[in-house]
Amino acid sequence: MSGNSFGTLFCVTSFGESHGPAYGGVVDGCPPGLELTAADLQRELDRRKPGSSRHVTQRRESDAVEILSGVYEGRTTGTAIGFLVRNEDQRSKDYAAIAEKFRPGHADYTYWQKYGIRDPRGGGRASARETLVRVAAGAIAKKWLRERYGVVVRGYLAQLGPKRIALRDWQAVDANPFFAPDPAIVPELEAFLDDLRARGDSCGARVNAIASGVPVGWGEPVYGRLDADIASALMGINAVKGVEIGAGFAAVEQRGSEHGDEMTPAGFLSNHNGGVLGGISTGQDITVSVALKPTSSIRLPRRTIDVHGRATTVQTTGRHDPCVGIRATPIVEAMLACVLMDHALRQRAQCGDVNPPTAPLAGAAS
Amino acid sequence: MSGNSFGTLFCVTSFGESHGPAYGGVVDGCPPGLELTAADLQRELDRRKPGSSRHVTQRRESDAVEILSGVYEGRTTGTAIGFLVRNEDQRSKDYAAIAEKFRPGHADYTYWQKYGIRDPRGGGRASARETLVRVAAGAIAKKWLRERYGVVVRGYLAQLGPKRIALRDWQAVDANPFFAPDPAIVPELEAFLDDLRARGDSCGARVNAIASGVPVGWGEPVYGRLDADIASALMGINAVKGVEIGAGFAAVEQRGSEHGDEMTPAGFLSNHNGGVLGGISTGQDITVSVALKPTSSIRLPRRTIDVHGRATTVQTTGRHDPCVGIRATPIVEAMLACVLMDHALRQRAQCGDVNPPTAPLAGAAS
Amino acid sequence: MSGNSFGTLFCVTSFGESHGPAYGGVVDGCPPGLELTAADLQRELDRRKPGSSRHVTQRRESDAVEILSGVYEGRTTGTAIGFLVRNEDQRSKDYAAIAEKFRPGHADYTYWQKYGIRDPRGGGRASARETLVRVAAGAIAKKWLRERYGVVVRGYLAQLGPKRIALRDWQAVDANPFFAPDPAIVPELEAFLDDLRARGDSCGARVNAIASGVPVGWGEPVYGRLDADIASALMGINAVKGVEIGAGFAAVEQRGSEHGDEMTPAGFLSNHNGGVLGGISTGQDITVSVALKPTSSIRLPRRTIDVHGRATTVQTTGRHDPCVGIRATPIVEAMLACVLMDHALRQRAQCGDVNPPTAPLAGAAS
Amino acid sequence: MSGNSFGTLFCVTSFGESHGPAYGGVVDGCPPGLELTAADLQRELDRRKPGSSRHVTQRRESDAVEILSGVYEGRTTGTAIGFLVRNEDQRSKDYAAIAEKFRPGHADYTYWQKYGIRDPRGGGRASARETLVRVAAGAIAKKWLRERYGVVVRGYLAQLGPKRIALRDWQAVDANPFFAPDPAIVPELEAFLDDLRARGDSCGARVNAIASGVPVGWGEPVYGRLDADIASALMGINAVKGVEIGAGFAAVEQRGSEHGDEMTPAGFLSNHNGGVLGGISTGQDITVSVALKPTSSIRLPRRTIDVHGRATTVQTTGRHDPCVGIRATPIVEAMLACVLMDHALRQRAQCGDVNPPTAPLAGAAS
């Protein structure tokens, strides 16, 4: 399988470029009988949409999605679900100035050298706009997981540059343009971003996500591990440079007597493992955290080379998010949901006849 | 594909349990004509072998590997390479006491609940002893990468519990039982581990690895990204809870003007991206870092439940590494090498006719 | 991977239903730099198009294809090629009468029982109209194979019901609505079909295809064999019930002294093996033949049951081909081309460094 | 995935060469809890074993199989099942005479040209001895299918060269060395083979197989079709040149009014479709037929070239089956069983929540 599909049984295939006619995707393997309309996808796409605040790219896209197959009379039929989002606001002229140069930190250089050809308009295939396909696919996964297993997948912005954001209020997440789980910190984030934008610079971010209600037993050990597949899905999001599950890098300094989550008949007493042991879900919350690097397209001048290998500088004046992490929360949720759904299906394929022989334990409070 | 194989074109399949008769693996897709003998695999296996110092499990295994196929007159034939390592020192009685209990932080509970049956002897399939298959496969990948492309994959212990270890001397890495790249710190590490072992506790670790000489252009964008596949391979190693590429989580607090690696005709000026942009190698060093959690099998008593769901405590008195990270360096190298080889093959499949149109840039000093 | 994708490196994903809004596909893994426009796909789609003669379904579809991604300034970029064909002439009312009944020999019954739901309009996902996705993907494969390796993939109708058709003239194939390679037999075929249609019945067919110019060495032995993948691709075409390679079933009655293709420095002396030995191409023509069953939707009344399990009869009065084999030639060519392209890529991945050590032999005249 | 594995969820990986130390395999994805011992595999291996009559190769192999993993206390654990069969009787000297020549009809030439290297001893990886891996894997699939679903997979020799063999008595199949379902014809077959062997020639064969008890709904439509996967599995058996399902090539001359299997509440009235419609099982018997070409290693002299491209002749005097079809029956059964088990798992993954909404129909008498 080449690089534009992922998943074993719940399989997502993606196509499209930033300034081409459209993005689209195919979701294969969804069980039949799920109630599904374009509105289910649209709701999640709208969360990721550009132009929703002054802090993100001002590109104007309705991101209206059309379902082309796989749904009959409002329910999935078990066949491939194709969907399409037309691009509307492609100001390709913005990119003429950089078509012959490579932006530092951007995929311009690697696409060019790998393929010997690239679509320079808006980053072409490397544009983060591709993540709308993931979000649409994730909407299907989230819905099925919730209806079939009661699994809820939620994320939030945990850090914006140097600003750490505490998880105080899940309700706040969708009520501000940053997916910040603390309404009190929003003005501070806005001021920080206004300053950053004025300087022509960008910053990194951290996004956390939690999947609650995952039953014990999802994930295959050794190489098809749930944690390995989650890591792949999250590291594969544009700009992600680090992935943690559970305690993550804090585990380096933990002792075994602290890290190993004790169990009692009343449930687990902690969740340092982030809901995965031996590559298999424990029944606790799956907790993940990703690091997103700063946007590479910035207005500050940077040293680079052109396609002829000559020294030059580049400034990017197009419409860009000063922090790709701001809109990343729905994407992280979507990728996590797709992996979980894939493993839900894989689990019942192999172990559909197994009932957990010991009464499953409750999770620790997260 | 189920959970015991990984890789698309360079594909590794693994089998075996800690106290079963043997471990074995099948490496599929290796190009023909590579000189290969069992000694090539043995050299790497010996680096990972138990019993090599008082700081790791005292299980006595020669880990002697036999190549069963795919090599004719000292060269690979292009067919599947099967290999086998017999288990020798299986003291299954050590595990009788814990067969009915779940060790906190261990896969005991999840295997049991997923499959309704498990081999409790030595962790069964969940034992880190399975990593010998990865190391053997990685030995093939490392050799081919070096001979065909000049790629060198090296790793080292970067942190042991609270002890950070600076990269001072690559030569030191294989000259101490910790793969520490600084001989001066070894006595300190030994004292720390002796104390830890005396307390019956365990600690976490951080292992770094670097692949040098990787050409620009390996990795497929979007979902088959080189970084995503690396993340999957590394998070899939037993006990790993976090993976970073390049700046990793430090990217969260970086500005775009700092993070994006500038380019000049003389080469890249930094390597915050860790050698991957847009999922494709840049030609710089690939730099990765993983967090390993503390060993879950410890002598200190821990609260847990038994298979009947009743409260109990567990102490693990068998032979265990007090820090799984100590022997993880060859495993991290092996997994990184396998992913790179897979992508080397994928690259020449699709882009075998492409020459990078711009003279490839030199990397920054790492 | 679920059921709507095929291919390992040249990977085709398909979606769409007969009376939904559109069909579409994603071709992943195409090398960069291939000149490609919608016209390249359209040419092949037009060969398969309905309504082109009175002998096939009178459904009126322009089958106009739009390329949505993966092509920039007329050349492939190496990223996923998405394409779309809107459905235009969906007379769903034709199907109301049969929505609650199962047509004998049709997938109505199996979709219904497998998924618990089906789109009954025009066969839904089971409609042979889906083959347009294969034909579009095959157009890309055919073009690349021809330009890169000089491989030519051609097919023809070899038998229509009882009428055997000799290969007399390749030029004739595209000059009649049956893809018959003998212009003299066309009036006889027309009379036969007129009579069949008047009776309300349908007939089977045999289609042959040949790939010329395939180099020695494509195909992986044992399970990823070229012949196995061809068999899968061809048996997977709607209505196909048998696949032969080379001598096919005639090999049952051959002796080894007759079947084994002798070699001389001037080339092979025969081609009973159909260009594949041990799962690997020999450099001779790849010759295949498929059996297509008669169309199951016929006007003659047939005994069946309804969705409640009650006895009933069914007559299908919609627009149907009296012989699905008539339009199958471009589909067989397309599937064969896709498999060959996949293996061309796989071959250079693993064996890109190998030159055939013996001067490759010429093929026997086919 | 490279060429030595097959199956999506029930995945078989194979390694070994005819004159190497051993053959082995890994079966991944088997559900936990299946009672399994080496004897289960041995029983099927003994059916395929060489040296069992004067009509097959006289190579002496016990083909004793050892299970190395995946089974604990007599039951599968859900982890990878590794198994090994040591080679014992490798008379490599037999092959010295042909190491530099290519046998017509054999994979000698294609391996050599593809890989630039080959193991000439006994055909190396191309030897039909590899099929023991398939038979061992198939033994697991057959057992699980029978115990979990009541599916029975059986095959028989339907034709030996010109001799057609009627299905008169299933009990006879395992009571003669040909798997002939008619004891009366056995003397005739023996005389035919004795004569053939005396002439130094070989012949082709046809093998049929039937899977009974397969529920409605297995198989994915469009590309992951049950029939396509069966065709791949069967065409991938050494020497197979043709595959039929149901009516097969006879469908070419059938009318729709004859071919389409009518349904009544009492069941299907015929089974021309061979138990598959639209790529999905109907609940009728799955009926398949394969053509096997004559053995290419014969004693009669044949024109060929040597590795330097020079004209020469070759006679094969080693130990060979005069008809590979004689021992093919267990292999065909095994491959069919593996495909069915894979689809059983895939079906319950996606459609585990679906009950066939209409009472499933009984099959027609086969």
Side-chain angles (χ1 to χ4, degrees), chain B residues 184-208:
Chain B
I185 207 173
V186 170
E188 193 178 329
L189 301 180
E190 295 193 311
F192 173 76
L193 280 171
D194 286 341
D195 178 66
L196 195 67
R197 211 163 46 242
R199 294 171 189 271
D201 212 340
S202 63
C203 73
R206 179 192 281 264
V207 169
N208 291 353

PDB file of all heavy atoms in Angstrom, chain B residues 184-208:
ATOM      1  N   ALA B 184      33.131   8.197  31.460  1.00  0.00           N
ATOM      2  CA  ALA B 184      33.303   8.758  32.799  1.00  0.00           C
ATOM      3  C   ALA B 184      32.074   8.577  33.679  1.00  0.00           C
ATOM      4  O   ALA B 184      32.167   8.532  34.901  1.00  0.00           O
ATOM      5  CB  ALA B 184      33.650  10.249  32.685  1.00  0.00           C
ATOM      6  N   ILE B 185      30.905   8.461  33.038  1.00  0.00           N
ATOM      7  CA  ILE B 185      29.674   8.401  33.839  1.00  0.00           C
ATOM      8  C   ILE B 185      29.329   6.974  34.252  1.00  0.00           C
ATOM      9  O   ILE B 185      28.430   6.762  35.083  1.00  0.00           O
ATOM     10  CB  ILE B 185      28.505   9.062  33.076  1.00  0.00           C
ATOM     11  CG1 ILE B 185      27.469   9.591  34.075  1.00  0.00           C
ATOM     12  CG2 ILE B 185      27.886   8.089  32.090  1.00  0.00           C
ATOM     13  CD1 ILE B 185      26.358  10.395  33.448  1.00  0.00           C
ATOM     14  N   VAL B 186      30.031   6.000  33.706  1.00  0.00           N
ATOM     15  CA  VAL B 186      29.659   4.607  33.944  1.00  0.00           C
ATOM     16  C   VAL B 186      29.657   4.231  35.427  1.00  0.00           C
ATOM     17  O   VAL B 186      28.700   3.608  35.910  1.00  0.00           O
ATOM     18  CB  VAL B 186      30.536   3.664  33.094  1.00  0.00           C
ATOM     19  CG1 VAL B 186      30.343   2.212  33.506  1.00  0.00           C
ATOM     20  CG2 VAL B 186      30.208   3.858  31.610  1.00  0.00           C
ATOM     21  N   PRO B 187      30.686   4.579  36.194  1.00  0.00           N
ATOM     22  CA  PRO B 187      30.648   4.212  37.620  1.00  0.00           C
ATOM     23  C   PRO B 187      29.417   4.792  38.325  1.00  0.00           C
ATOM     24  O   PRO B 187      28.794   4.115  39.157  1.00  0.00           O
ATOM     25  CB  PRO B 187      31.948   4.821  38.167  1.00  0.00           C
ATOM     26  CG  PRO B 187      32.846   4.938  36.971  1.00  0.00           C
ATOM     27  CD  PRO B 187      31.960   5.222  35.811  1.00  0.00           C
ATOM     28  N   GLU B 188      29.055   5.994  37.980  1.00  0.00           N
ATOM     29  CA  GLU B 188      27.864   6.624  38.567  1.00  0.00           C
ATOM     30  C   GLU B 188      26.594   5.835  38.233  1.00  0.00           C
ATOM     31  O   GLU B 188      25.715   5.635  39.072  1.00  0.00           O
ATOM     32  CB  GLU B 188      27.774   8.054  38.027  1.00  0.00           C
ATOM     33  CG  GLU B 188      26.792   8.943  38.744  1.00  0.00           C
ATOM     34  CD  GLU B 188      26.807  10.361  38.151  1.00  0.00           C
ATOM     35  OE1 GLU B 188      27.876  10.801  37.662  1.00  0.00           O
ATOM     36  OE2 GLU B 188      25.743  11.004  38.162  1.00  0.00           O
ATOM     37  N   LEU B 189      26.508   5.374  36.976  1.00  0.00           N
ATOM     38  CA  LEU B 189      25.351   4.578  36.573  1.00  0.00           C
ATOM     39  C   LEU B 189      25.327   3.252  37.316  1.00  0.00           C
ATOM     40  O   LEU B 189      24.268   2.794  37.758  1.00  0.00           O
ATOM     41  CB  LEU B 189      25.391   4.324  35.055  1.00  0.00           C
ATOM     42  CG  LEU B 189      25.401   5.559  34.147  1.00  0.00           C
ATOM     43  CD1 LEU B 189      25.454   5.129  32.676  1.00  0.00           C
ATOM     44  CD2 LEU B 189      24.203   6.471  34.402  1.00  0.00           C
ATOM     45  N   GLU B 190      26.510   2.657  37.483  1.00  0.00           N
ATOM     46  CA  GLU B 190      26.569   1.369  38.185  1.00  0.00           C
ATOM     47  C   GLU B 190      26.120   1.512  39.637  1.00  0.00           C
ATOM     48  O   GLU B 190      25.360   0.688  40.143  1.00  0.00           O
ATOM     49  CB  GLU B 190      27.990   0.812  38.123  1.00  0.00           C
ATOM     50  CG  GLU B 190      28.392   0.470  36.692  1.00  0.00           C
ATOM     51  CD  GLU B 190      29.654  -0.378  36.620  1.00  0.00           C
ATOM     52  OE1 GLU B 190      30.634   0.005  37.279  1.00  0.00           O
ATOM     53  OE2 GLU B 190      29.633  -1.404  35.914  1.00  0.00           O
ATOM     54  N   ALA B 191      26.572   2.555  40.270  1.00  0.00           N
ATOM     55  CA  ALA B 191      26.191   2.774  41.663  1.00  0.00           C
ATOM     56  C   ALA B 191      24.686   3.012  41.792  1.00  0.00           C
ATOM     57  O   ALA B 191      24.009   2.486  42.676  1.00  0.00           O
ATOM     58  CB  ALA B 191      26.957   3.974  42.233  1.00  0.00           C
ATOM     59  N   PHE B 192      24.173   3.779  40.838  1.00  0.00           N
ATOM     60  CA  PHE B 192      22.740   4.065  40.842  1.00  0.00           C
ATOM     61  C   PHE B 192      21.937   2.778  40.695  1.00  0.00           C
ATOM     62  O   PHE B 192      20.964   2.529  41.413  1.00  0.00           O
ATOM     63  CB  PHE B 192      22.415   5.050  39.715  1.00  0.00           C
ATOM     64  CG  PHE B 192      20.954   5.277  39.518  1.00  0.00           C
ATOM     65  CD1 PHE B 192      20.229   6.070  40.399  1.00  0.00           C
ATOM     66  CD2 PHE B 192      20.282   4.695  38.463  1.00  0.00           C
ATOM     67  CE1 PHE B 192      18.871   6.280  40.224  1.00  0.00           C
ATOM     68  CE2 PHE B 192      18.927   4.894  38.277  1.00  0.00           C
ATOM     69  CZ  PHE B 192      18.224   5.684  39.163  1.00  0.00           C
ATOM     70  N   LEU B 193      22.368   1.927  39.780  1.00  0.00           N
ATOM     71  CA  LEU B 193      21.632   0.683  39.536  1.00  0.00           C
ATOM     72  C   LEU B 193      21.784  -0.291  40.684  1.00  0.00           C
ATOM     73  O   LEU B 193      20.836  -1.004  41.031  1.00  0.00           O
ATOM     74  CB  LEU B 193      22.107   0.037  38.229  1.00  0.00           C
ATOM     75  CG  LEU B 193      21.501   0.664  36.973  1.00  0.00           C
ATOM     76  CD1 LEU B 193      22.196   0.125  35.729  1.00  0.00           C
ATOM     77  CD2 LEU B 193      20.002   0.396  36.889  1.00  0.00           C
ATOM     78  N   ASP B 194      22.958  -0.343  41.284  1.00  0.00           N
ATOM     79  CA  ASP B 194      23.138  -1.228  42.437  1.00  0.00           C
ATOM     80  C   ASP B 194      22.180  -0.836  43.556  1.00  0.00           C
ATOM     81  O   ASP B 194      21.554  -1.683  44.196  1.00  0.00           O
ATOM     82  CB  ASP B 194      24.596  -1.164  42.925  1.00  0.00           C
ATOM     83  CG  ASP B 194      25.546  -1.908  41.979  1.00  0.00           C
ATOM     84  OD1 ASP B 194      25.072  -2.749  41.179  1.00  0.00           O
ATOM     85  OD2 ASP B 194      26.756  -1.639  42.034  1.00  0.00           O
ATOM     86  N   ASP B 195      22.075   0.452  43.771  1.00  0.00           N
ATOM     87  CA  ASP B 195      21.158   0.948  44.798  1.00  0.00           C
ATOM     88  C   ASP B 195      19.706   0.611  44.461  1.00  0.00           C
ATOM     89  O   ASP B 195      18.935   0.158  45.297  1.00  0.00           O
ATOM     90  CB  ASP B 195      21.337   2.467  44.926  1.00  0.00           C
ATOM     91  CG  ASP B 195      20.379   3.060  45.932  1.00  0.00           C
ATOM     92  OD1 ASP B 195      20.509   2.742  47.140  1.00  0.00           O
ATOM     93  OD2 ASP B 195      19.464   3.800  45.528  1.00  0.00           O
ATOM     94  N   LEU B 196      19.372   0.816  43.212  1.00  0.00           N
ATOM     95  CA  LEU B 196      17.999   0.556  42.743  1.00  0.00           C
ATOM     96  C   LEU B 196      17.654  -0.921  42.930  1.00  0.00           C
ATOM     97  O   LEU B 196      16.566  -1.275  43.401  1.00  0.00           O
ATOM     98  CB  LEU B 196      17.920   0.941  41.265  1.00  0.00           C
ATOM     99  CG  LEU B 196      16.558   1.101  40.618  1.00  0.00           C
ATOM    100  CD1 LEU B 196      15.825   2.301  41.202  1.00  0.00           C
ATOM    101  CD2 LEU B 196      16.723   1.298  39.107  1.00  0.00           C
ATOM    102  N   ARG B 197      18.585  -1.767  42.544  1.00  0.00           N
ATOM    103  CA  ARG B 197      18.360  -3.204  42.649  1.00  0.00           C
ATOM    104  C   ARG B 197      18.218  -3.614  44.103  1.00  0.00           C
ATOM    105  O   ARG B 197      17.383  -4.439  44.464  1.00  0.00           O
ATOM    106  CB  ARG B 197      19.504  -3.955  41.985  1.00  0.00           C
ATOM    107  CG  ARG B 197      19.086  -5.276  41.379  1.00  0.00           C
ATOM    108  CD  ARG B 197      20.111  -5.806  40.381  1.00  0.00           C
ATOM    109  NE  ARG B 197      21.454  -5.712  40.892  1.00  0.00           N
ATOM    110  CZ  ARG B 197      22.425  -4.993  40.349  1.00  0.00           C
ATOM    111  NH1 ARG B 197      22.202  -4.294  39.255  1.00  0.00           N
ATOM    112  NH2 ARG B 197      23.622  -4.958  40.886  1.00  0.00           N
ATOM    113  N   ALA B 198      19.026  -3.005  44.941  1.00  0.00           N
ATOM    114  CA  ALA B 198      18.943  -3.306  46.380  1.00  0.00           C
ATOM    115  C   ALA B 198      17.566  -2.930  46.935  1.00  0.00           C
ATOM    116  O   ALA B 198      17.016  -3.602  47.797  1.00  0.00           O
ATOM    117  CB  ALA B 198      20.046  -2.556  47.129  1.00  0.00           C
ATOM    118  N   ARG B 199      16.998  -1.874  46.421  1.00  0.00           N
ATOM    119  CA  ARG B 199      15.669  -1.445  46.861  1.00  0.00           C
ATOM    120  C   ARG B 199      14.548  -2.284  46.255  1.00  0.00           C
ATOM    121  O   ARG B 199      13.382  -2.121  46.614  1.00  0.00           O
ATOM    122  CB  ARG B 199      15.418   0.009  46.424  1.00  0.00           C
ATOM    123  CG  ARG B 199      16.298   1.042  47.083  1.00  0.00           C
ATOM    124  CD  ARG B 199      16.088   2.391  46.380  1.00  0.00           C
ATOM    125  NE  ARG B 199      17.061   3.377  46.830  1.00  0.00           N
ATOM    126  CZ  ARG B 199      16.859   4.187  47.884  1.00  0.00           C
ATOM    127  NH1 ARG B 199      15.744   4.121  48.572  1.00  0.00           N
ATOM    128  NH2 ARG B 199      17.796   5.039  48.249  1.00  0.00           N
ATOM    129  N   GLY B 200      14.885  -3.098  45.247  1.00  0.00           N
ATOM    130  CA  GLY B 200      13.851  -3.889  44.573  1.00  0.00           C
ATOM    131  C   GLY B 200      13.019  -3.072  43.622  1.00  0.00           C
ATOM    132  O   GLY B 200      11.895  -3.445  43.286  1.00  0.00           O
ATOM    133  N   ASP B 201      13.570  -1.962  43.182  1.00  0.00           N
ATOM    134  CA  ASP B 201      12.786  -1.089  42.307  1.00  0.00           C
ATOM    135  C   ASP B 201      13.404  -1.068  40.910  1.00  0.00           C
ATOM    136  O   ASP B 201      14.385  -1.762  40.623  1.00  0.00           O
ATOM    137  CB  ASP B 201      12.753   0.327  42.903  1.00  0.00           C
ATOM    138  CG  ASP B 201      11.445   1.050  42.575  1.00  0.00           C
ATOM    139  OD1 ASP B 201      10.749   0.642  41.617  1.00  0.00           O
ATOM    140  OD2 ASP B 201      11.137   2.032  43.286  1.00  0.00           O
ATOM    141  N   SER B 202      12.834  -0.291  40.020  1.00  0.00           N
ATOM    142  CA  SER B 202      13.323  -0.183  38.646  1.00  0.00           C
ATOM    143  C   SER B 202      13.210   1.269  38.201  1.00  0.00           C
ATOM    144  O   SER B 202      12.595   2.085  38.878  1.00  0.00           O
ATOM    145  CB  SER B 202      12.495  -1.079  37.720  1.00  0.00           C
ATOM    146  OG  SER B 202      11.141  -0.652  37.696  1.00  0.00           O
ATOM    147  N   CYS B 203      13.813   1.592  37.068  1.00  0.00           N
ATOM    148  CA  CYS B 203      13.741   2.968  36.576  1.00  0.00           C
ATOM    149  C   CYS B 203      13.568   3.013  35.069  1.00  0.00           C
ATOM    150  O   CYS B 203      13.766   2.019  34.376  1.00  0.00           O
ATOM    151  CB  CYS B 203      14.992   3.750  36.981  1.00  0.00           C
ATOM    152  SG  CYS B 203      16.458   3.290  36.052  1.00  0.00           S
ATOM    153  N   GLY B 204      13.208   4.204  34.592  1.00  0.00           N
ATOM    154  CA  GLY B 204      13.052   4.424  33.156  1.00  0.00           C
ATOM    155  C   GLY B 204      14.348   4.846  32.509  1.00  0.00           C
ATOM    156  O   GLY B 204      15.396   4.938  33.153  1.00  0.00           O
ATOM    157  N   ALA B 205      14.266   5.113  31.209  1.00  0.00           N
ATOM    158  CA  ALA B 205      15.460   5.503  30.470  1.00  0.00           C
ATOM    159  C   ALA B 205      15.064   6.214  29.184  1.00  0.00           C
ATOM    160  O   ALA B 205      13.909   6.168  28.750  1.00  0.00           O
ATOM    161  CB  ALA B 205      16.319   4.287  30.142  1.00  0.00           C
ATOM    162  N   ARG B 206      16.048   6.894  28.628  1.00  0.00           N
ATOM    163  CA  ARG B 206      15.878   7.507  27.314  1.00  0.00           C
ATOM    164  C   ARG B 206      17.000   6.995  26.407  1.00  0.00           C
ATOM    165  O   ARG B 206      18.162   6.963  26.808  1.00  0.00           O
ATOM    166  CB  ARG B 206      15.968   9.036  27.426  1.00  0.00           C
ATOM    167  CG  ARG B 206      15.829   9.761  26.090  1.00  0.00           C
ATOM    168  CD  ARG B 206      16.217  11.225  26.185  1.00  0.00           C
ATOM    169  NE  ARG B 206      15.173  12.067  26.760  1.00  0.00           N
ATOM    170  CZ  ARG B 206      14.291  12.779  26.020  1.00  0.00           C
ATOM    171  NH1 ARG B 206      14.364  12.739  24.692  1.00  0.00           N
ATOM    172  NH2 ARG B 206      13.392  13.530  26.608  1.00  0.00           N
ATOM    173  N   VAL B 207      16.623   6.587  25.219  1.00  0.00           N
ATOM    174  CA  VAL B 207      17.608   6.136  24.230  1.00  0.00           C
ATOM    175  C   VAL B 207      17.473   7.010  22.993  1.00  0.00           C
ATOM    176  O   VAL B 207      16.364   7.275  22.526  1.00  0.00           O
ATOM    177  CB  VAL B 207      17.392   4.643  23.879  1.00  0.00           C
ATOM    178  CG1 VAL B 207      18.223   4.239  22.669  1.00  0.00           C
ATOM    179  CG2 VAL B 207      17.728   3.761  25.076  1.00  0.00           C
ATOM    180  N   ASN B 208      18.603   7.463  22.501  1.00  0.00           N
ATOM    181  CA  ASN B 208      18.643   8.243  21.261  1.00  0.00           C
ATOM    182  C   ASN B 208      19.255   7.406  20.145  1.00  0.00           C
ATOM    183  O   ASN B 208      20.087   6.540  20.397  1.00  0.00           O
ATOM    184  CB  ASN B 208      19.510   9.503  21.444  1.00  0.00           C
ATOM    185  CG  ASN B 208      18.873  10.512  22.379  1.00  0.00           C
ATOM    186  OD1 ASN B 208      17.722  10.353  22.796  1.00  0.00           O
ATOM    187  ND2 ASN B 208      19.632  11.546  22.721  1.00  0.00           N
TER     188      ASN B 208
END
